[in-house]
Amino acid sequence: MTNFKMNKLYSLYISLLLACVLLFPGIPLSAQTSLHDGQPDKTYESIISVNQSGYNIGWTKRFTAPLIADGTLFRITESGKTKVLFTGKISGHIGDFSDFNPSVTGVEYVISVTRNIQFIQSFPFSIGKFWMERSLTQPAVDFMIDDRSVIGTHPSAWGGAPWRDGTAYSYEVPSMVLQYLANPEFYEQAPRQIDYNSDKNRILASDFKYIMAPEGSHALQTARDYYTKIDAPIGSKVPDIINNIHWGIGFYLLNPVTQDPSGGDEGRRLHPQTLEQFAYFLYGYPYYKQYFTESYYKQVKKFVLDQWAYTGLLGVFSSIGSAKGREAPGHSIMPNLFMYEVAQRDGDANAQKYFDAAFRQTKWVIDSLDFNRPENTKGQRMSEHVLIPALVYFLKQYPDKSPKGLKQKIEKWVDIAISRSENLWDFRRYNMQDLWTVPGFSETGNIAGFPSVALSASIAIDDETKKARLLQLSAAAVDDLFGRNPQNSCAAFHQKKGFSGLEKGWPKSYMDDVCARLELVRGTFSSISTTEMYPYNPNGKFGWLEGWTAFNSAWNKSLAYIHFYDTQFQVKNRPSGKSYLQLQVPGYPGREPKTIEVLTNEGKRITLTQTAQGSQVYIGTLEQENLAKGTTTISYGYALFKKTISLKSDDKGNIIIL
């Protein structure tokens, strides 16, 4: 009798379940099979993949729901509350809430759907003005502080470079120079953590214990020489990012010869890409020279001039590296253009040779590099960010002197990148046949660096639809790092170390106390989803789990472009007839400056005042005496990241934006 009742109840349960499936249809079984590639998944019922950190107001905001049927309604509420603030429908397993731009800051939200009468909810996330810049830039700075060889969080120097796990091509100094140039006030306002004198006393102490690592036999002496033979930074309030630039160039001045500890056929020598890092420092020097002695600058420049031709940087590099990322195509273009400008600035008679070298290298890219081959784009792993921004800089800085076909070459990259990104993750695939990610290697750095490539490319093209898609793909790459991926996990295993607001870190970790000891470093990215996990198979094979300095350098560069993209000028007209200039710029949370100075093309300074405490909006009246008789260009940021607005005053005194 008991068994009969249980069987009857069981049959009733099955009937009700089938009825629920019919009344509240979820994703079809056939689609589940397709998404899973035949693999069962134990966690799918909770899968609404969001950026666990958060989203920028005014940017694309999307999530992926791989097992939720198209047409399903999603709702956004504050975390822990029931009032619905935004609704939308899932299409292509993507939910888009770009139009949800709440005015309140510091609130966490969740996305929920009902599937087969089951309530499914995402991890919480935030939305705010300049959210990415204000929440994710400091962890990037923290990484570069902690990862310093010898003097950072571990007394070793895996690789023997200024940063543990660094190599000739890991791009640390250039990435930080670009960050500072894009938004100098942000880094000026950031808290100071590096204490030069304290670090000096610690490393020079007789009881300092150094732990030997591959290629690091010279590093302890080099680090000690840095504190005794290189001019110290000037001042007691040097920004951490400047201290790190000073450290990196100073260390390489003393010992520029390296060898990649992971192998390769380059050997122990002064690599051209090591010397290229010096060009970035020289290029940015006028904008942070207050922190460096003149003799430091002269020492750096002499070294560069002595070695530039010797390392082959005036020639054409036609070899392309493997997916390891060692020899990214076109790596010498930007450094040669920078050296051209440095030489012109300093009155050097032979400046043209650098421009000619950049021209020849760019022409080789246009004529010989096939972007249809993924080995030349995404396949460059964390080094892909080197080429496209350089091509865009050449095109925009020298529109009448750049090689023929340059704009079309950039447009070709854009078309290929967009075509390979039409999927439920907005994820730019390796190819459209069988691979989503770079074969054989972790491509964490490629995802981290992709926004710098896509945002720079958007500057060079005219098609507004493609520009919008590039912004969408840039946001999706950041989303991928912070949870919008088949693992529903952020790329950092130690997600609480340096970051905040992240609920689920990478499920697997690298071995502790091995190699560069990056598990001791704040802001480290561990890994991302592999081809085997796409389009949706969380039980797929995991990739390499160790972070890398080069991954974070690529991320630094993306942050520079994100800061630059979000810095915006506007002119507002008051009823009184007075016009005023408005600047919106990402500010350091809680430390935004009260005033910001912007420059006119005639060298005049205009002071803009913060509109309210904590605001990232600055305004100032446009007085006639600050405007030129013809066109006045006003700027914030430096060099290639100088954000400008051009104005002129008509006969009636009205301000016209050009």
Side-chain angles (χ1 to χ4, degrees):
M1 188 67 176
T2 303
N3 288 339
F4 173 78
K5 286 183 177 179
M6 288 183 66
N7 289 338
K8 191 172 182 179
L9 288 171
Y10 181 76
S11 298
L12 180 60
Y13 169 77
I14 294 298
S15 298
L16 287 170
L17 185 59
L18 289 172
C20 289
V21 171
L22 293 172
L23 290 170
F24 304 95
I27 195 165
L29 180 60
S30 59
Q32 287 193 36
T33 303
S34 172
L35 286 166
H36 281 280
D37 292 331
Q39 295 293 322
D41 170 44
K42 300 175 182 177
T43 60
Y44 73 88
E45 291 296 356
S46 63
I47 194 72
I48 299 176
S49 290
V50 298
N51 181 328
Q52 295 174 27
S53 175
Y55 300 83
N56 275 25
I57 286 177
W59 277 57
T60 294
K61 294 181 281 292
R62 284 152 79 94
F63 67 90
T64 296
L67 297 180
I68 306 298
D70 283 0
T72 301
L73 185 75
F74 69 85
R75 301 165 293 274
I76 298 180
T77 62
E78 287 189 26
S79 183
K81 297 185 179 180
T82 59
K83 182 181 178 181
V84 176
L85 304 174
F86 185 88
T87 61
K89 289 186 178 181
I90 292 172
S91 176
H93 301 295
I94 293 173
D96 193 311
F97 55 106
S98 301
D99 292 336
F100 181 49
N101 293 302
S103 58
V104 180
T105 303
V107 174
E108 286 195 326
Y109 303 92
V110 292
I111 294 168
S112 61
V113 301
T114 301
R115 177 180 183 267
N116 296 345
I117 70 170
Q118 183 179 13
F119 181 78
I120 303 171
Q121 187 168 283
S122 72
F123 287 122
F125 56 88
S126 298
I127 299 175
K129 188 73 173 177
F130 307 134
W131 178 264
M132 288 188 288
E133 295 94 322
R134 288 163 66 84
S135 63
L136 301 178
T137 302
Q138 186 59 52
V141 175
D142 294 340
F143 178 94
M144 304 308 296
I145 295 171
D146 293 359
D147 191 43
R148 289 173 297 163
S149 290
V150 188
I151 202 65
T153 55
H154 195 272
S156 62
W158 182 278
W163 284 270
R164 307 198 300 273
D165 227 4
T167 64
Y169 53 93
S170 49
Y171 208 77
E172 298 94 340
V173 169
S175 74
M176 290 185 287
V177 169
L178 295 177
Q179 282 181 288
Y180 185 84
L181 296 178
N183 190 358
E185 277 296 337
F186 186 96
Y187 300 96
E188 291 288 345
Q189 300 303 323
R192 272 57 166 172
Q193 300 177 65
I194 294 177
D195 186 323
Y196 177 90
N197 290 321
S198 176
D199 286 346
K200 177 180 179 179
N201 293 335
R202 179 160 59 95
I203 200 171
L204 294 180
S206 58
D207 61 350
F208 183 85
K209 294 183 179 179
Y210 178 65
I211 296 177
M212 190 63 67
E215 303 301 327
S217 59
H218 68 277
L220 175 59
Q221 189 58 53
T222 301
R224 284 175 165 166
D225 288 345
Y226 166 80
Y227 287 102
T228 55
K229 297 181 180 180
I230 297 290
D231 290 353
I234 297 174
S236 59
K237 295 183 178 181
V238 182
D240 286 340
I241 199 166
I242 299 296
N243 260 315
N244 266 324
I245 293 169
H246 187 284
W247 160 262
I249 294 298
F251 190 103
Y252 272 137
L253 268 176
L254 294 163
N255 202 320
V257 175
T258 63
Q259 178 170 303
D260 190 341
S262 64
D265 58 3
E266 296 88 352
R268 180 181 296 280
R269 62 190 174 101
L270 171 57
H271 296 276
Q273 290 183 86
T274 299
L275 196 59
E276 288 169 10
Q277 298 203 34
F278 288 69
Y280 282 80
F281 167 77
L282 294 175
Y283 172 74
Y285 174 74
Y287 309 108
Y288 40 68
K289 65 180 181 181
Q290 66 271 29
Y291 298 117
F292 296 84
T293 65
E294 187 177 356
S295 62
Y296 184 105
Y297 174 79
K298 290 180 177 179
Q299 186 178 1
V300 172
K301 187 176 179 185
K302 182 180 186 306
F303 179 77
V304 172
L305 296 180
D306 289 346
Q307 301 297 330
W308 200 261
Y310 171 76
T311 57
L313 281 166
L314 294 178
V316 172
F317 294 93
S318 57
S319 61
I320 301 172
S322 70
K324 181 69 179 174
R326 291 189 179 95
E327 295 289 342
H331 62 76
S332 65
I333 295 171
M334 188 81 93
N336 266 306
L337 290 175
F338 284 173
M339 286 303 298
Y340 172 64
E341 294 177 31
V342 169
Q344 287 188 311
R345 183 182 74 209
D346 291 352
D348 297 349
N350 57 357
Q352 189 62 34
K353 66 181 181 182
Y354 301 110
F355 184 90
D356 293 343
F359 187 98
R360 290 191 298 269
Q361 185 68 65
T362 302
K363 190 174 187 307
W364 176 86
V365 169
I366 295 169
D367 295 341
S368 304
L369 200 67
D370 183 1
F371 285 158
N372 286 298
R373 295 177 58 84
E375 298 93 330
N376 298 333
T377 54
K378 187 183 179 83
Q380 284 301 304
R381 209 174 37 145
M382 79 288 159
S383 297
E384 185 190 9
H385 67 83
V386 172
L387 177 59
I388 297 299
L391 298 182
V392 172
Y393 181 71
F394 203 156
L395 178 67
K396 303 305 288 186
Q397 186 75 358
Y398 304 99
D400 299 326
K401 298 171 67 176
S402 58
K404 183 179 179 181
L406 178 53
K407 184 176 182 180
Q408 292 76 13
K409 193 71 176 182
I410 298 167
E411 290 172 338
K412 181 66 174 178
W413 180 91
V414 169
D415 290 342
I416 293 170
I418 289 175
S419 69
R420 292 178 181 169
S421 304
E422 298 304 318
N423 54 70
L424 69 165
W425 303 99
D426 296 312
F427 182 87
R428 192 268 307 252
R429 297 178 53 141
Y430 182 81
N431 63 33
M432 293 304 293
Q433 290 75 48
D434 57 341
L435 295 171
W436 287 68
T437 59
V438 177
F441 289 95
S442 170
E443 67 164 63
T444 310
N446 184 267
I447 305 304
F450 184 78
S452 71
V453 189
L455 290 176
S456 65
S458 72
I459 298 170
I461 64 173
D462 302 318
D463 189 303
E464 293 298 327
T465 300
K466 292 178 181 179
K467 283 177 178 283
R469 182 58 172 156
L470 288 174
L471 176 62
Q472 203 169 64
L473 298 181
S474 298
V478 180
D479 295 346
D480 183 281
L481 288 176
F482 294 97
R484 187 187 166 197
N485 54 61
Q487 280 299 316
N488 202 24
S489 305
C490 64
F493 175 77
H494 299 281
Q495 84 273 19
K496 301 298 183 185
K497 187 168 287 184
F499 297 109
S500 61
L502 304 181
E503 299 295 323
K504 184 182 178 185
W506 201 246
K508 295 189 178 184
S509 68
Y510 190 65
M511 299 171 286
D512 288 347
D513 201 25
V514 175
C515 295
R517 282 84 173 187
L518 293 183
E519 74 279 358
L520 303 175
V521 175
R522 293 170 292 173
T524 299
F525 295 119
S526 305
S527 192
I528 62 150
S529 298
T530 61
T531 287
E532 291 82 358
M533 295 176 182
Y534 284 99
Y536 182 63
N537 176 25
N539 298 322
K541 179 183 177 182
F542 277 83
W544 193 248
L545 300 169
E546 185 186 15
W548 193 10
T549 299
F551 294 168
N552 278 77
S553 295
W555 175 234
N556 289 346
K557 188 170 181 179
S558 285
L559 285 169
Y561 276 86
I562 291 170
H563 276 261
F564 173 68
Y565 178 87
D566 270 346
T567 299
Q568 299 293 336
F569 278 115
Q570 288 180 298
V571 170
K572 303 284 186 177
N573 295 308
R574 289 180 172 142
S576 63
K578 281 283 188 180
S579 299
Y580 67 94
L581 182 69
Q582 176 176 291
L583 172 67
Q584 295 188 73
V585 60
Y588 196 92
R591 293 170 174 257
E592 303 89 352
K594 301 298 181 185
T595 60
I596 285 180
E597 284 191 337
V598 295
L599 297 175
T600 72
N601 54 320
E602 292 186 330
K604 295 180 179 178
R605 297 179 181 272
I606 300 175
T607 299
L608 305 182
T609 303
Q610 189 180 30
T611 55
Q613 185 174 0
S615 169
Q616 295 156 94
V617 178
Y618 297 82
I619 61 172
T621 302
L622 287 169
E623 303 291 352
Q624 289 295 325
E625 58 265 26
N626 288 327
L627 300 179
K629 291 183 179 179
T631 299
T632 299
T633 300
I634 301 173
S635 65
Y636 172 77
Y638 297 133
L640 80 162
F641 286 131
K642 182 167 65 175
K643 185 65 66 108
T644 63
I645 185 170
S646 293
L647 313 168
K648 74 174 183 179
S649 177
D650 64 17
D651 295 338
K652 297 179 180 179
N654 298 315
I655 304 298
I656 302 171
I657 303 174
L658 301 178

